[in-house]
Amino acid sequence: KQWYQAEYGNAIASYGLGQGHVSKGPINMKVKVGQASAQAVAGPGFGAFADATVADVSVSAGNLVGAHVGLNANTGVGVRNGNAEAHFLGFGGKIGADGVEINTPIGGVNACSVM
């Protein structure tokens, strides 16, 4: 699936081979395969991001905690979607509206804020 958008200070191009999502009560599971995107943000927020994922499986319990396992080389720095974030070749994290997240090229964990 390809997708392009440029408006309101935000330009995004993305491509993905496939993804799926399953929910049962507060438990959510998502699978992504072959995802790539590039994004430039100049308002609201700012920054440049390039995300590349070979495969990823994520599980979360409501808005409280989550984890993912996969292979990625996400790189970028800036503020987007209410979060300040920095990543280099998969290593990095973010903090903000979505809580706190710490990532590596093979997985990561997050603890979401409840407001």
Side-chain angles (χ1 to χ4, degrees):
K1 175 181 173 185
Q2 297 179 29
W3 184 70
Y4 309 96
Q5 178 180 357
E7 62 183 10
Y8 307 114
N10 195 3
I12 303 172
S14 67
Y15 179 82
L17 293 177
Q19 64 181 4
H21 181 264
V22 175
S23 296
K24 183 71 174 175
I27 306 300
N28 297 298
M29 181 176 163
K30 183 184 246 186
V31 177
K32 297 187 291 185
V33 178
Q35 305 284 317
S37 68
Q39 180 178 19
V41 181
F46 62 92
F49 305 90
D51 297 329
T53 301
V54 174
D56 186 78
V57 176
S58 62
V59 177
S60 64
N63 290 337
L64 299 177
V65 296
H68 69 97
V69 176
L71 184 59
N72 80 81
N74 298 342
T75 299
V77 65
V79 175
R80 63 178 170 175
N81 305 323
N83 298 294
E85 62 181 280
H87 289 88
F88 182 70
L89 297 178
F91 290 99
K94 66 181 180 179
I95 187 167
D98 295 335
V100 177
E101 184 172 305
I102 299 171
N103 294 301
T104 72
I106 59 170
V109 295
N110 66 298
C112 297
S113 60
V114 179
M115 297 183 183

